[in-house]
Amino acid sequence: MTDKKPAPKNKGSFLPNLILAGVSALFTLIFLELGARAYLFHFATDDDFTTFASLKQLEKASRQGKVGGDPQISHHRYLGYTLTPNYEDDENRHNSLGYRGEEIIQPKPEGEFRIVCIGGSTTYTTRVDDYRLSYPDLLEKELQERGYTNVNVVNAGVPGWESWNFLIDFELRTLDLDPDMIIVYSGYNDFKPRVVEPESYKGDNSGRAAPMIERVYMPGWLEYSTLYRIVAILSGWMEPHTSYNTINSSPKSYLADEFHDQLEDGTYPTDEFEEMTVQEILQANPPIYYQRNIENIVAIAQSRNIKVMLATMALFSQRPDIDQRAGSPEYQFAIAEHNQVLKNIAQRRNVSLLDFAATFPRQEQYYDDGVHVTEAGSRLKAQMFANFIVEQSLVPKE
């Protein structure tokens, strides 16, 4: 009995098998891609759609009137980004002009005294979901209940905005509202522009903010794939196209995000801050541009007979476990400097200043974190602002 030799392998079958495997994989990916797109447009929740959709898909959905088709913030040619007009999400909304709240009648009705509140997320009143409970809306109710029935208060706050944004927006949009008075409550976000490499600390804020054009055109070819975006976002490889970090991009000279990460990890100071601490960076980059920007807003307002009210920024630093930033000596140092800038401007320009930082109670019930208020805090803030406005006779009765 002889042993049978195994049949020789067909060497010529390798290439066809490889091609077949490649074609199968390609069709599988195409099938999964089509499935991902079908899920996104027909089965995803509004929140998931806004999270996973590309900017082009969001634009398409918005044209079709799909709920959730509009992100909360959108690119803007001169402001970098701004609030998306006509945005709605449960109890939150933006009007057609891109301000949080109800529609604004334009031109301003005769006899109306219009107040515009300028600031970042603390004016927008982030962490309070109902726009009707934001501090500007509650301020309007407070004043009207006290007999100032001709008052209309506009919430012009935009989360993440710095004094550069305030200045540009004031000139390009706020003045078109024909305000009789403005309230400026800011200072927290201007910590970030100062935490840059000192040689990059410049008046145009180029050390902090990068051009925001690249994301509009989606340079990464993989980002055209809905399947890839969903997997990458879920895996933490990339941010949603609508996220603040994606739209508000920064150059390498910007160091504040690394500082924030190290605060959260409990590793500060490491890496970039071993040779120069954040405290030393702040001292090397004094708030000269914050002062310039706010003072220019005040000067423009005064040139148009618009009343000005400034308010210092309050921090809840007693609980670092709630907010490491507000509890850090670096933030406390910077915000104290910014508050002093506001006091100096008020004195030089002879405008009203509410020392909110010195009077707002440091009680946990009023703070959602170290700087944003709760609903109770929003109500108290509105009451305190209304008290000051009445005491200073800043608003005439009808």
Side-chain angles (χ1 to χ4, degrees), residues 166-368:
F166 304 151
L167 175 59
I168 297 170
D169 187 68
F170 182 68
E171 294 188 86
L172 300 186
R173 298 201 309 159
T174 303
L175 289 176
D176 290 341
L177 299 178
D178 191 18
D180 298 286
M181 175 179 165
I182 60 172
I183 299 175
V184 181
Y185 183 72
S186 79
Y188 187 78
N189 291 334
D190 271 70
F191 172 91
K192 297 178 181 179
R194 295 176 61 188
V195 186
V196 299
E197 296 171 352
E199 61 270 20
S200 300
Y201 186 52
K202 298 176 182 178
D204 63 358
N205 204 24
S206 56
R208 151 75 174 111
M212 297 184 185
I213 192 171
E214 61 181 65
R215 282 288 173 177
V216 176
Y217 297 101
M218 293 174 56
W221 65 271
L222 276 175
E223 294 186 38
Y224 284 97
S225 166
T226 300
L227 177 64
Y228 171 79
R229 281 197 313 278
I230 292 176
V231 172
I233 292 170
L234 288 175
S235 303
W237 304 338
M238 64 176 286
E239 294 267 6
H241 283 192
T242 55
S243 76
Y244 170 80
N245 290 332
T246 295
I247 294 178
N248 194 33
S249 54
S250 303
K252 292 181 179 179
S253 56
Y254 176 62
L255 304 174
D257 281 350
E258 177 63 27
F259 172 61
H260 297 155
D261 290 342
Q262 291 185 23
L263 278 181
E264 292 178 6
D265 296 340
T267 59
Y268 175 80
T270 61
D271 302 330
E272 290 90 343
F273 308 114
E274 289 181 345
E275 295 185 4
M276 192 173 193
T277 67
V278 171
Q279 183 72 32
E280 291 170 336
I281 292 174
L282 290 170
Q283 291 170 343
N285 300 335
I288 53 175
Y289 303 124
Y290 175 70
Q291 175 181 320
R292 177 202 63 186
N293 296 339
I294 300 300
E295 191 150 24
N296 283 346
I297 291 173
V298 173
I300 294 169
Q302 289 182 320
S303 72
R304 293 172 175 258
N305 295 319
I306 299 171
K307 293 183 179 181
V308 177
M309 171 182 162
L310 304 178
T312 57
M313 176 70 60
L315 285 183
F316 183 60
S317 57
Q318 286 82 343
R319 290 285 305 275
D321 57 314
I322 294 178
D323 190 337
Q324 296 93 339
R325 300 183 193 184
S328 69
E330 292 81 6
Y331 260 89
Q332 293 170 39
F333 172 79
I335 302 309
E337 284 194 317
H338 299 168
N339 285 342
Q340 187 59 50
V341 165
L342 294 175
K343 293 176 182 179
N344 294 342
I345 292 174
Q347 186 174 24
R348 283 197 303 272
R349 289 284 176 176
N350 192 29
V351 297
S352 298
L353 179 130
L354 168 61
D355 196 356
F356 188 69
T359 54
F360 192 67
R362 302 305 197 272
Q363 297 176 18
E364 195 168 333
Q365 69 190 62
Y366 298 124
Y367 287 91
D368 188 85

Side-chain angles (χ1 to χ4, degrees), residues 7-214:
K9 293 182 178 179
N10 186 357
K11 296 181 179 179
S13 66
F14 175 74
L15 184 58
N17 288 338
L18 181 63
I19 293 174
L20 180 61
V23 171
S24 299
L26 178 61
F27 274 100
T28 300
L29 288 174
I30 292 174
F31 176 78
L32 291 173
E33 175 66 22
L34 293 175
R37 295 190 180 198
Y39 158 75
L40 194 64
F41 276 90
H42 300 291
F43 302 104
T45 64
D46 293 339
D47 287 342
D48 284 349
F49 182 87
T50 304
T51 298
F52 298 122
S54 70
L55 292 175
K56 290 182 181 292
Q57 288 171 331
L58 287 163
E59 183 181 357
K60 177 182 177 181
S62 181
R63 290 197 304 267
Q64 295 174 347
K66 176 179 172 62
V67 177
D70 291 319
Q72 186 175 6
I73 57 175
S74 300
H75 290 82
H76 189 282
R77 183 180 182 92
Y78 303 109
L79 296 166
Y81 70 92
T82 188
L83 300 181
T84 302
N86 300 313
Y87 169 85
E88 291 189 20
D89 181 22
D90 295 330
E91 295 178 312
N92 192 23
R93 64 161 296 186
H94 303 160
N95 59 39
S96 58
L97 295 178
Y99 294 98
R100 190 184 195 194
E102 302 288 348
E103 290 297 328
I104 302 170
I105 300 175
Q106 287 288 88
K108 182 177 68 178
E110 184 177 355
E112 177 182 304
F113 189 91
R114 182 167 289 175
I115 302 174
V116 177
C117 298
I118 296 171
S121 58
T122 51
T123 293
Y124 185 90
T125 319
T126 299
R127 310 298 177 91
V128 175
D129 295 333
D130 191 337
Y131 73 91
R132 291 160 294 193
L133 300 178
S134 66
Y135 109 74
D137 271 71
L138 293 175
L139 174 61
E140 177 180 295
K141 293 181 179 67
E142 282 284 335
L143 291 171
Q144 289 184 351
E145 288 174 359
R146 301 181 192 200
Y148 299 88
T149 56
N150 59 329
V151 167
N152 175 256
V153 180
V154 176
N155 185 343
V158 178
W161 267 12
E162 298 150 6
S163 59
W164 282 265
N165 306 93
F166 304 151
L167 175 59
I168 297 170
D169 187 68
F170 182 68
E171 294 188 86
L172 300 186
R173 298 201 309 159
T174 303
L175 289 176
D176 290 341
L177 299 178
D178 191 18
D180 298 286
M181 175 179 165
I182 60 172
I183 299 175
V184 181
Y185 183 72
S186 79
Y188 187 78
N189 291 334
D190 271 70
F191 172 91
K192 297 178 181 179
R194 295 176 61 188
V195 186
V196 299
E197 296 171 352
E199 61 270 20
S200 300
Y201 186 52
K202 298 176 182 178
D204 63 358
N205 204 24
S206 56
R208 151 75 174 111
M212 297 184 185
I213 192 171
E214 61 181 65

Side-chain angles (χ1 to χ4, degrees), residues 380-396:
L380 180 58
K381 182 176 180 179
Q383 292 169 6
M384 293 176 65
F385 275 47
N387 290 340
F388 182 81
I389 288 170
V390 171
E391 291 167 3
Q392 297 291 312
S393 301
L394 296 177
V395 179

